[in-house]
């Protein structure tokens, strides 16, 4: 696609959304039989799967911590997830995203309850359209809860940014590519604690405050969908009892 002259026309974005509107969101908990916990999330054209194994004994043993569990996270893009085939295997970008995703999720998990253990999180990007790190974190926190890992809260994540001088929620690939600013954020919604904040581009102080408010609002909507997905998985319908 060629860069259009304007990314926002009459207050509407290329995909018809208002600046403060999230893409269509679908969350399903417990989609994989062999993982201890799992979740599938679609946010617009993003399709992301998260799987959790553990807590289980840490191997290799010399990585065991005597007083806490260790969270490990791998973010991976499928070769067919992007327009130009992604070469399989880790690269600088996926190593960075794996690290920031782990750091975004660590604060919610009661790691101290499982000394010498490991909790493994796998984030698989099946289809990418910008915002995959945040969608991955959203999916991973549902997968952790689905695995029964004791948690202080969920983590909800979304990107905000600036496109044609307008502050927008949840950027698409085109907006990420041609916009001026992209700011992914992860939040523990109950206490409003930010566990990830990155920024590509720049904001004035005022714009930053508006973007943050928009992100908090988006995370709130994502949080509700995450809780709904977990309730759906765990509510026993009368005919199944
Ligand atoms: O996905 P996220 O926004 O968290 O990370 P990014 O590094 O800002 O990447 C933005 C988007 O660029 C991704 O979601 C993909 O759609 C695209 N991308 C790509 O087409 N090929 C890659 N090797 C990496 C990213």
């Amino acid at each position: 696609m060629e860069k259009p002259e304007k990314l926002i026309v009459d207050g509407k974005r290329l995909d018809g959304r208002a600046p403060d509107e999230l893409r269509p969101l679908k969350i399903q908990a417990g989609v994989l039989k062999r993982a201890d916990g799992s979740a599938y999330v679609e946010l617009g054209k993003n399709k992301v799967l998260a799987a959790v194994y553990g807590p289980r004994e840490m191997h290799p043993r010399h990585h065991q911590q005597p007083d806490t569990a260790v969270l490990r996270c791998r973010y991976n893009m499928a070769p067919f997830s992007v327009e130009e085939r992604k070469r399989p295997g880790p690269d600088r970008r996926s190593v960075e995203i794996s690290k920031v995703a782990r750091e975004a999720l660590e604060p919610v998990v009661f790691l101290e309850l499982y000394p010498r253990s490991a909790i493994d999180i796998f984030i698989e990007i099946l289809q990418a359209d910008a915002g995959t790190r945040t969608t991955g974190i959203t999916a991973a926190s549902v997968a952790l809860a689905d695995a029964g890992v004791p948690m202080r809260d969920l983590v909800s994540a979304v990107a905000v940014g600036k496109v044609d001088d307008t502050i927008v929620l949840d950027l698409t690939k085109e907006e990420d590519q041609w916009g001026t600013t992209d700011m992914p954020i992860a939040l523990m919604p109950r206490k409003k604690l930010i566990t990830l904040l990155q920024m590509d581009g720049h904001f004035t102080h005022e714009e930053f405050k508006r973007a943050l408010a928009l992100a908090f609002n988006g995370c709130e909507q994502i949080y509700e969908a995450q809780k709904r997905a977990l309730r759906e998985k765990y509510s026993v319908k009368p005919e199944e009892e």
Side-chain angles (χ1 to χ4, degrees):
M1 185 168 161
E2 296 255 309
K3 182 182 188 303
E5 202 177 314
K6 284 182 156 200
L7 293 162
I8 300 187
V9 180
D10 296 334
K12 293 261 189 240
R13 298 152 74 177
L14 292 181
D15 59 5
R17 277 184 297 156
D20 62 352
E21 211 176 316
L22 208 59
R23 285 177 282 186
L25 173 65
K26 191 178 118 185
I27 306 182
Q28 211 182 337
V31 292
L32 300 173
K33 198 165 156 214
R34 295 195 183 83
D36 294 316
S38 58
Y40 174 67
V41 177
E42 286 183 5
L43 179 65
K45 292 185 209 148
N46 287 308
K47 298 187 179 191
V48 175
L49 199 56
V52 166
Y53 294 86
R56 58 186 177 181
E57 193 182 8
M58 163 70 96
H59 288 283
R61 283 232 169 121
H62 67 271
H63 284 173
Q64 288 185 358
Q65 297 294 318
D67 50 0
T68 181
V70 174
L71 200 63
R72 297 186 290 201
C73 184
R74 191 191 76 182
Y75 165 101
N76 180 55
M77 270 188 147
F80 49 79
S81 65
V82 285
E83 210 161 287
E84 252 183 62
R85 178 181 180 276
K86 152 86 176 64
R87 205 164 151 253
D91 52 18
R92 274 173 55 117
R93 177 177 173 277
S94 68
V95 170
E96 176 217 319
I97 297 180
S98 299
K99 175 180 182 284
V100 297
R102 172 174 57 74
E103 289 171 348
L105 294 160
E106 258 169 356
V108 289
V109 182
F110 286 100
L111 292 169
E112 61 278 17
L113 295 179
Y114 301 97
R116 298 180 205 289
S117 305
I119 300 173
D120 288 299
I121 302 171
F122 297 92
I123 296 171
E124 297 290 330
I125 309 302
L126 307 177
Q127 191 168 284
D129 190 51
T132 61
R133 76 193 63 204
T134 43
T135 310
I137 292 165
T138 294
S141 87
V142 174
L144 280 166
D146 181 49
V149 173
M151 292 159 81
R152 295 175 174 85
D153 196 359
L154 292 168
V155 179
S156 312
V158 76
V160 280
K162 191 161 90 169
V163 170
D164 285 0
D165 286 324
T166 303
I167 307 295
V168 298
L169 176 67
D170 189 22
L171 288 78
T172 60
K173 175 79 169 61
E174 286 75 27
E175 292 173 331
D176 181 50
Q177 196 174 334
W178 296 316
T180 42
T181 310
D182 174 31
M183 182 168 81
I185 284 184
L187 187 71
M188 291 167 63
R190 269 195 314 142
K191 294 207 164 162
K192 301 235 183 306
L193 293 174
I194 293 172
T195 64
L196 168 121
L197 193 154
Q198 296 182 286
M199 179 146 55
D200 188 5
H202 56 268
F203 279 138
T204 64
H205 187 70
E206 262 317 299
E207 286 170 345
F208 177 75
K209 283 205 291 194
R210 273 170 35 222
L212 206 56
L214 215 55
F216 275 37
N217 197 287
C219 284
E220 203 55 53
Q221 294 174 50
I222 293 167
Y223 190 44
E224 290 307 316
Q226 288 173 303
K227 288 188 290 185
R228 209 157 43 233
L230 286 163
R231 273 198 300 268
E232 267 166 31
K233 162 93 193 289
Y234 287 101
S235 60
V236 180
K237 299 182 187 75
E239 63 269 26
E240 292 169 9
E241 273 180 325

